[in-house]
Amino acid sequence: MDNQRPRVEFTKEMKDQGYLILAPAMAPIHFELIANALASYGYRVELLRNSGPQIADIGLKYVHNDTCYPALLCIGQFIDALQSGNYDLNKTALMITQTGGGCRASNYIHLLRKALERAEMGHVPVISLNLSGLESNSGFSLTLSMIRKALAAIIYGDALMLLKNQVKPYEQNLGESDALVTRWTNELVDQFDRGQGYSGHATRKQLNEIVASFDAIPVTDKLLPKVGIVGEIYVKYSPLANNDLEQFLYEQGCETMVPGLLQFMLFKVDNRLEDIKLYGGTRLKQTMFEAAMRYLGRSERMLIDALNKSNRFVAPSPYDKLKSMVDGVIGYGCKMGEGWLLTAEMIELTHLGYPNIVCGQPFGCLPNHIVGKGMIRKIRNLHEEANIVAVDYDPGATRVNQENRIKLMLSVAREGMHKTHGRPMQEAMETEEDTTLSPQLSTTY
């Protein structure tokens, strides 16, 4: 019998008392801006940075081991932080997103509350961050201006992530692009505090200035492998989940491209409109989602226009073009998890000149195995240059095995750069998908 207590609400009194709200840092640049956008409305928000093997161990202790890897990590990170002694458990709350879709991520919040009960911390309130009306709290509510700031944070986060990844491997003065990310983050946070920086005019102006500042960084003309990162959304972005994949690829002498969060937002809104067409819905709901689609589309155009002002940077494809790339490849009804978007991102990366792709596959995420690993052969048949490796991320996977698989993919990429045929090694990767590679491979490339 489930003896879990009734949901502990985050009340207005808790906000007035200055409760600290802990939240995961899935996409570090984006979430830093989002957290500070919330802070400008009087919420004390801290992004969790705790890491280490104990996170997954704690997750396994308090969550069933059949639960997907992102859930284990999120819940393990929360409980690890609360058990650290660094927080007053009587003045601390937790925040987690709740999508309301078919993904089990909608149930993370319930798993988290059960885990808190088991850890004897059931009195800690958990806030659901959602746009679907799934839960409400008298002490936390999303206003229109708050949503606009959060969306601006996503746009700025996409720009900073993309520009940093395209400049950092080539910079003449090491650390210059990272320093510029920090400078712009601080500047945007200050603007959010002043109620500025998120109108359409301000966003366009800032994006142009951000692009110009990165364009001014002196770079070398060395030739490096170009690698894209796709996968389940948490594993794609979170350094905790993917063992700091972006940094690893940088250390291997690669330029990386990670598709932005804005594309995912467009995908989610588009899916809601498709549901209304198929299953019906109120006119009000349809009008709201159509307005959201137009707003996000304008934001996307601003970002692409800013990037295209420089001939140095590769801009993402417009959403409509991205969607058309999977026409005849995978059905638009495949929308659980990252759905057809994940397949589209792999094709897009190939078109943009990033044919070497790491597809992060977390344990327990069946939809993303289908639209990710399950579509690799189809994509290779359509695009010979596609050099894709699916990497499993789960509590039992060793980091050395993950990195060795990626290094095999990079060896094919380097062979391709020297106009040699890397197909035999690619076929070996396909046929030995689950073979543990020798740790000695980590020193051979």
Side-chain angles (χ1 to χ4, degrees), residues 15 34 37-38 41 43 95-98 127-151 265:
K15 180 186 176 185
I34 293 172
L38 295 177
Y41 291 88
Y43 299 100
M95 177 181 284
I96 193 167
T97 55
Q98 197 176 11
I127 302 168
S128 167
L129 184 63
N130 73 86
L131 296 173
S132 306
L134 296 172
E135 284 189 5
S136 61
N137 293 271
S138 61
F140 181 85
S141 59
L142 289 172
T143 63
L144 182 59
S145 64
M146 192 186 298
I147 293 171
R148 288 180 65 198
K149 274 189 186 179
L151 289 174
M265 298 293 292

Side-chain angles (χ1 to χ4, degrees), residues 328-350:
V329 178
I330 186 173
Y332 295 124
C334 295
K335 56 187 182 178
M336 294 299 105
E338 276 54 57
W340 61 259
L341 179 67
L342 199 162
T343 306
E345 286 176 344
M346 289 193 282
I347 296 174
E348 179 199 26
L349 286 166
T350 302

Side-chain angles (χ1 to χ4, degrees), residues 169-233:
Y170 306 99
E171 59 190 8
Q172 292 181 11
N173 306 311
L174 295 183
E176 203 165 349
S177 54
D178 283 330
L180 202 50
V181 169
T182 301
R183 191 196 102 190
W184 274 112
T185 300
N186 293 336
E187 170 63 25
L188 293 167
V189 165
D190 288 343
Q191 291 191 33
F192 286 166
D193 286 342
R194 299 193 303 268
Q196 301 173 350
Y198 63 96
S199 68
H201 175 74
T203 303
R204 185 183 300 276
K205 179 176 180 292
Q206 294 281 38
L207 286 172
N208 288 333
E209 291 178 0
I210 289 170
V211 171
S213 67
F214 278 88
D215 203 6
I217 294 178
V219 293
T220 65
D221 59 356
K222 57 188 175 183
L223 185 65
L224 299 177
K226 294 189 174 185
V227 182
I229 299 174
V230 300
E232 185 274 334
I233 190 167

